[in-house]
Amino acid sequence: ARAAAEKFGEGLQGALRAGRTYKLLANRVVDGERRVKFRLLQADSAFNYHDYVVVTNGGTQSAVDVHILTTGEPLSGSLRRSLLPVAVELKKGIIARLTTKESAYVENLPTILKMTKLQTDPKGALAAYASLPPVLRTDKNVLTLRVQAASFVDDAAYLAAMEDFRRAFPNDPALGVMSIDYFYLKKMHKEAIEQVSAVEKATGPDAHLNSLRAGIHSEIGAIDPAKKELATALALEPDLPEAVQLAIALDLASNDEAAALAKIKDAK
């Protein structure tokens, strides 16, 4: 568990060094747990929420787990599932006594680990996925890695990976954010907007979600709804770059130079 926490922290530090932003959104109680929610946002509007479970022990507060939006489960759940085959092997001692899937997972662990290099070698991660036996290609952890790797390659690979995930796990919570991209790439803009709203209903308000809807509205020429979403976004988070930039662009497109100049001055 400590190694997983360290790896999660290293990944987050790498994301911040790469220019992504990490913003505190909420500090509240959920189902009796103290939760602290952060938004991880990158330049292409891809996002994730990290909802830390915080406990107090001896006057010291610490995070004991983190719910991750894009996996639809806490980090401990993902870790437990990925380590289960290895734990079973250690307990039983011989691979021959494992289930077919557990045995395949243990035997192919080096290949699965190659997939975790998806940010630095996404094509290599997809090649590693393709070399796995069929029984592992529908494993949730493995499919999640494939989707993430494909997002760094091209739209065709990304869409194909999402299609396979949706078929394998049609009711999985991880489909929330994934479905936004899925519908958008299929040019199903109404459904993409509805999916952004579904994520908002499940996770709470966030200016980025308003900005996402505004971007989709503006792309299909629905300028008034886009401006309304941006007004909400800027009220929630006046310095959100993507909202400021799109709002200025829409003002200029509408020949409202005064409004654009006012936003430029406010952004300085």
Side-chain angles (χ1 to χ4, degrees):
R2 181 182 296 274
E6 291 175 351
K7 186 175 180 61
F8 176 80
E10 291 171 359
L12 180 56
Q13 290 175 11
L16 296 179
R17 285 194 296 268
R20 300 181 188 181
T21 63
Y22 206 50
K23 183 178 179 64
L24 172 64
L25 294 183
N27 185 342
R28 74 270 191 241
V29 175
V30 179
D31 297 331
E33 295 179 333
R34 171 62 60 185
R35 298 276 193 92
V36 180
K37 184 171 77 170
F38 284 79
R39 180 190 67 214
L40 181 62
L41 181 61
Q42 59 191 54
D44 63 358
S45 292
F47 71 104
N48 202 351
Y49 294 141
H50 295 161
D51 207 6
Y52 295 89
V53 179
V54 179
V55 299
T56 302
N57 187 6
T60 301
Q61 292 188 330
S62 58
V64 295
D65 207 346
V66 53
H67 294 258
I68 301 174
L69 179 65
T70 53
T71 63
E73 63 185 3
L75 180 61
S76 60
S78 300
L79 178 64
R80 186 179 300 111
R81 189 174 56 254
S82 65
L83 292 181
L84 178 60
V86 180
V88 172
E89 180 196 8
L90 291 174
K91 183 177 180 180
K92 293 186 175 181
I94 55 173
I95 291 180
R97 295 178 63 182
L98 301 178
T99 67
T100 300
K101 187 173 184 178
E102 289 167 346
S103 177
Y105 200 105
V106 172
E107 292 173 350
N108 289 274
L109 193 56
T111 302
I112 294 171
L113 290 176
K114 289 180 182 178
M115 293 188 67
T116 64
K117 308 294 183 182
L118 58 94
Q119 291 193 23
T120 55
D121 184 17
K123 290 184 178 179
L126 293 184
Y129 172 83
S131 71
L132 291 171
V135 69
L136 288 182
R137 291 182 206 159
T138 55
D139 176 84
K140 181 179 176 180
N141 281 2
V142 172
L143 263 179
T144 299
L145 290 173
R146 178 194 170 192
V147 170
Q148 293 172 344
S151 71
F152 290 102
V153 177
D154 57 46
D155 288 350
Y158 188 30
L159 190 56
M162 288 191 289
E163 292 272 14
D164 285 349
F165 191 101
R166 290 171 66 84
R167 276 194 292 269
F169 302 99
N171 300 309
D172 195 276
L175 284 176
V177 174
M178 191 185 301
S179 292
I180 298 173
D181 284 349
Y182 174 79
F183 289 126
Y184 180 79
L185 289 176
K186 291 179 74 69
K187 300 189 183 302
M188 299 170 67
H189 298 103
K190 177 177 178 292
E191 289 80 1
I193 290 171
E194 290 173 348
Q195 192 57 49
V196 175
S197 297
V199 170
E200 182 181 55
K201 183 177 180 180
T203 64
D206 176 16
H208 174 65
L209 299 179
N210 295 101
S211 185
L212 273 182
R213 281 194 296 261
I216 300 171
H217 278 306
S218 65
E219 187 167 315
I220 59 177
I223 303 304
D224 287 341
K227 287 187 174 183
K228 183 176 180 181
E229 291 286 358
L230 288 172
T232 302
L234 292 172
L236 289 170
E237 195 171 334
D239 59 348
L240 181 62
E242 63 189 68
V244 174
Q245 292 165 9
L246 182 55
I248 291 172
L250 291 182
D251 285 338
L252 291 175
S254 303
N255 296 316
D256 193 345
E257 295 181 359
L261 286 172
K263 290 183 178 66
I264 292 171
K265 289 178 180 178
D266 289 341
K268 290 182 179 180

